[in-house]
Amino acid sequence: MLITSADRTVPITVLARTSAGPADAFRILAPIDLTRVFLADRLFPGVAAVADQTGTWDRAGASRRPRFTDGTSVTESLTEYVDGRGFAYELTGFTNALATLALGVRGEFSFLPDGEGTIIRWTYEFKPRPGRRWIVAGPFRPLWQRYMQSALRRMVAIIEGARPESIGEAGHHLRGA
């Protein structure tokens, strides 16, 4: 287990609303193509490809290696999977600048009923390296939160676009944390 109750972590959470129900939003988002939602920006690389996947991405124990547009990579392991409700994963073995800041990250998606739709809650919980918490909790945090919110907006657009009744108004269903 990467993170324990004794660790001083830095959680960063973003939220978005979709008109899809929790089960539909989960079904589309859980196996989403990472290259479509994690795009490079001026500060962070995007995901260029996913390699070395073991198992299907629908049960704890599966793992894969996202490769970034700058040539670096990370190991991603699915640690929890509750169909229709949420999933969690750990990111370890960063080969980019995050390796100097964090020992790893626990990510979690929750799909919360919201009328006929869903609020998607996505948290990245960083386990900072010794002496680096102030960087992650300080100047890094708002930059990463913006990157996450942009990726989540793209995820919601894909969810909305995958639904036959959608008319492409995903941007009107968003809410930031």
Side-chain angles (χ1 to χ4, degrees), residues 118-140:
T118 303
I119 293 176
I120 300 168
R121 182 180 61 212
W122 179 25
T123 299
Y124 246 53
E125 187 177 6
F126 286 85
K127 181 175 181 173
R129 287 194 172 277
R132 298 295 187 345
R133 187 178 189 287
W134 71 272
I135 298 170
V136 177
F140 179 80

Side-chain angles (χ1 to χ4, degrees), residues 131-150:
R132 298 295 187 345
R133 187 178 189 287
W134 71 272
I135 298 170
V136 177
F140 179 80
R141 181 186 208 125
L143 302 171
W144 190 255
Q145 187 170 18
R146 263 193 306 275
Y147 185 74
M148 287 176 67
Q149 193 67 60
S150 294

Side-chain angles (χ1 to χ4, degrees), residues 34-53:
L34 302 181
T35 65
R36 294 181 62 196
V37 295
F38 292 101
L39 306 180
D41 69 11
R42 59 186 167 76
L43 298 174
F44 302 109
V47 172
V50 175
D52 307 325
Q53 184 161 322

